Amino acid sequence: SPRAALQGVTRDTKKLTKALIGEGGDAERADAIALTEAGRKAYNAKNYTKAEKYFREAISEDSGYAWAHTYLGHTAYQQGKAEEAKMHWNRAVDTDFNSDAAAKARKKLQHLRRSKNRTVDELKDRLRNSL
């Protein structure tokens, strides 16, 4: 849900802040981290177009930065681009499987699968009832 995604983004603030000031972040990744933080702020303000721009720039700086992929997935989902969201969440998992970013991405992917299965089940029930 949008509320859950927003809460997840908010919880990540401390992790991103630590990375920005060097407590656990790589110096080579600093630009991607800064762009992701700017994107996260735009996302929280519900400016998804601006957030998307920042997350794409972060990925251009460091294509292996899982947080940028995770947040771009959230942003794409908010914009009604579920297939693109899935692609970025999968990329987050593939790039840094054991990270918190990948865990959040896996959770979103599971949610999509459950929603899809529910929809398919509902359609099957409707078909059975109409026959």
Side-chain angles (χ1 to χ4, degrees):
S1 74
R3 176 172 285 172
L6 191 58
Q7 288 171 340
V9 169
T10 303
R11 281 191 301 270
D12 300 333
T13 302
K14 287 183 182 178
K15 293 174 190 169
L16 285 170
T17 302
K18 283 182 181 180
L20 280 170
I21 61 173
E23 296 176 26
D26 299 333
E28 305 84 39
R29 190 162 269 182
D31 288 342
I33 292 168
L35 288 163
T36 300
E37 176 64 10
R40 188 194 60 76
K41 287 178 181 175
Y43 180 93
N44 284 343
K46 298 184 181 186
N47 186 341
Y48 302 123
T49 302
K50 190 174 184 180
E52 178 182 8
K53 177 184 168 285
Y54 282 123
F55 296 138
R56 288 190 189 285
E57 287 178 27
I59 290 167
S60 291
E61 288 292 323
D62 183 350
S63 63
Y65 189 45
W67 280 118
H69 286 290
T70 298
Y71 288 137
L72 184 53
H74 293 349
T75 303
Y77 189 76
Q78 289 296 326
Q79 295 172 315
K81 304 173 191 173
E83 287 304 311
E84 184 178 344
K86 279 175 44 177
M87 179 191 72
H88 286 289
W89 288 329
N90 279 314
R91 206 166 283 159
V93 171
D94 292 343
T95 20
D96 196 0
F97 187 81
N98 292 316
S99 69
D100 289 341
K104 287 188 180 299
R106 279 193 298 276
K107 187 175 179 180
K108 288 298 189 180
L109 289 165
Q110 289 169 349
H111 171 75
L112 283 180
R113 277 191 292 275
R114 283 192 301 266
S115 294
K116 180 181 175 183
N117 290 340
R118 255 191 319 270
T119 301
V120 169
D121 289 344
E122 288 172 9
L123 289 171
K124 285 179 182 178
D125 286 344
R126 286 183 190 170
L127 280 172
R128 270 185 243 134
N129 292 334
S130 69
L131 296 175

